[in-house]
Amino acid sequence: MNIGLTGGIATGKSTVSSLLVKKGALLVDADAIARDVMLPGQPVLTAVTNFFGQAILQADGTLDRKKLGNIVFNDKEALKALNDISHPEIRKQLNERMKELEKLNPETLIVIDIPLLIESGLQSMFEQVLVVYVPRDIQKLRLMQRDSLSADEAEARLHAQMDIEVKKTMADLVIDNSDSLATTEQQVNELWLQLGQL
């Protein structure tokens, strides 16, 4: 069985996915694939650089994520352009990895962690969609702390994504990650049993 795991920026998707992996699930991480397709020599990075210019690269030819982030999180058209360039390849690799894992491990829960799962309309790829949720004020605070952002920078990033309250209503399953790690772990344990994983 597979589930698509999503949430908002800084809601704790990685925390929940790692707890599920600890229980025995297998993980396909869209962020890891997104980083891979942006490595030097990859066609996606070349296309992104052609669109946004050499200024988004560091001296060694690697992507300057902060610079690109500052561009796309303040300009909806720029963000759309980046997604249009990168998402088809990320989606293709996600699908290939998911199918391969399902074929090799038919009895194991496969978790596919995709930050923009709902925005990209990918729900039909999965048996169920799990949203990792925290209220927006906690989300903003965690984002500021995690990425050393100002309130305005954090707000711009949150504004660029679908509101977490909306995502929550579109989920088959919800894990509320606004309390302690122990509380989140308890919810993961209950979910594990609910999904019939022993």
Side-chain angles (χ1 to χ4, degrees):
M1 129 169 245
N2 69 55
I3 58 171
L5 183 149
T6 193
I9 191 168
T11 58
K13 296 179 298 297
S14 300
T15 300
V16 172
S17 64
S18 66
L19 288 170
L20 285 164
V21 166
K22 218 162 91 178
K23 308 266 319 160
L26 297 171
L27 177 68
V28 180
D29 184 350
D31 276 348
I33 293 171
R35 282 190 291 276
D36 289 349
V37 302
M38 289 292 194
L39 290 172
Q42 292 296 317
V44 172
L45 179 59
T46 304
V48 168
T49 307
N50 289 342
F51 187 89
F52 290 98
Q54 295 292 319
I56 63 161
L57 297 179
Q58 301 187 87
D60 62 358
T62 58
L63 178 66
D64 187 328
R65 293 187 170 278
K66 194 161 173 110
K67 230 177 231 176
L68 182 60
N70 286 336
I71 296 168
V72 300
F73 289 119
N74 291 299
D75 180 345
K76 276 199 162 121
E77 288 304 310
L79 182 59
K80 184 183 182 310
L82 174 64
N83 290 344
D84 287 347
I85 295 167
S86 60
H87 282 185
E89 181 60 25
I90 294 168
R91 214 170 283 156
K92 176 173 162 273
Q93 290 193 29
L94 264 178
N95 209 25
E96 285 171 2
R97 290 187 198 184
M98 182 175 84
K99 297 278 183 253
E100 189 181 341
L101 285 175
E102 285 177 330
K103 192 172 155 192
L104 295 172
N105 310 276
E107 300 303 313
T108 306
L109 177 66
I110 316 288
V111 176
I112 301 87
D113 181 343
I114 309 180
L116 299 178
L117 188 158
I118 293 171
E119 291 91 327
S120 303
L122 301 179
Q123 296 97 313
S124 62
M125 275 177 68
F126 310 105
E127 291 170 53
Q128 298 197 67
V129 172
L130 167 65
V131 167
V132 181
Y133 169 82
V134 299
R136 191 182 163 100
D137 57 334
I138 296 176
Q139 186 184 12
K140 183 176 175 179
L141 189 63
R142 287 183 182 173
L143 179 58
M144 288 166 66
Q145 290 169 343
R146 187 191 77 184
D147 294 355
S148 304
L149 299 175
S150 69
D152 286 346
E153 287 172 325
E155 196 57 53
R157 279 160 173 73
L158 290 175
H159 192 67
Q161 290 194 344
M162 181 185 287
D163 188 285
I164 192 65
E165 300 297 338
V166 176
K167 275 192 185 179
K168 185 181 175 187
T169 67
M170 301 174 80
D172 300 305
L173 309 159
V174 176
I175 297 246
D176 186 329
N177 189 36
S178 56
D179 205 330
S180 66
L181 180 60
T183 305
T184 299
E185 196 160 7
Q186 179 58 39
Q187 291 175 74
V188 168
N189 290 342
E190 287 165 11
L191 174 68
W192 190 255
L193 295 172
Q194 185 187 330
L195 294 173
Q197 301 294 309
L198 302 173

